[in-house]
């Protein structure tokens, strides 16, 4: 258990939990036929988006999708690394990290 009392995310290597934030490692798949979580590969959550990478459209769609799934405002998500790469680190700022972790685990499960 970390100092903030949030559940550890050891079973999900693509997610780290801290006080008031959750950080996730994502591989974006721009131009995918299906929008949403495709699965996980090693230490990353793989998310498909319809948009291509031109002018940040795929990033915008990725943030919009994750905000919708996590039920947080778009402004709560920030790409902190990899804005021009498929491999991204995204920070989610929230007053309830346990809720975000729970939801991420749900959407990250293999279907």
């Amino acid at each position: 258990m970390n100092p903030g009392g949030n559940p550890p995310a050891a079973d999900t290597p693509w997610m780290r939990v801290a006080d008031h934030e959750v950080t996730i490692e994502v591989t974006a798949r721009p131009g995918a036929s299906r929008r949403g979580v495709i699965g996980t590969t090693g230490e990353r959550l793989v998310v498909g988006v319809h948009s291509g990478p031109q002018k940040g459209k795929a990033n915008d769609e990725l943030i919009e999708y994750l905000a919708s799934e996590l039920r947080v405002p778009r402004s709560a998500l920030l790409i902190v690394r990899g804005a021009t790469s498929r491999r991204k680190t995204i920070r989610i700022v929230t007053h309830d990290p346990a809720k975000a972790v729970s939801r991420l685990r749900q959407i990250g499960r293999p279907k």
Side-chain angles (χ1 to χ4, degrees):
M1 197 63 83
N2 67 14
N6 301 318
D11 62 331
T12 50
W14 46 267
M15 178 172 33
R16 293 180 303 281
V17 183
D19 289 339
H20 302 293
E21 72 179 43
V22 178
T23 304
I24 58 175
E25 300 296 330
V26 174
T27 297
R29 293 258 173 93
S33 61
R34 184 174 77 93
R35 177 179 162 171
V37 173
I38 296 169
T40 59
T41 58
E43 298 186 357
R44 295 193 170 271
L45 180 68
V46 181
V47 181
V49 292
H50 297 302
S51 300
Q54 300 82 10
K55 298 183 181 179
K57 290 180 183 178
N59 285 345
D60 289 344
E61 186 178 347
L62 176 63
I63 293 298
E64 177 186 312
Y65 168 76
L66 289 171
S68 172
E69 285 293 323
L70 297 172
R71 300 174 184 101
V72 297
R74 285 177 53 111
S75 60
L77 283 86
L78 175 68
I79 298 174
V80 294
R81 189 177 308 125
T84 60
S85 170
R86 289 178 187 230
R87 296 170 54 111
K88 302 176 186 305
T89 301
I90 299 175
R91 180 180 303 137
I92 304 149
V93 179
T94 176
H95 293 294
D96 192 354
K99 183 176 166 185
V101 166
S102 174
R103 187 69 185 131
L104 282 163
R105 284 184 176 143
Q106 286 176 358
I107 67 172
R109 280 194 195 119
K111 294 182 175 42

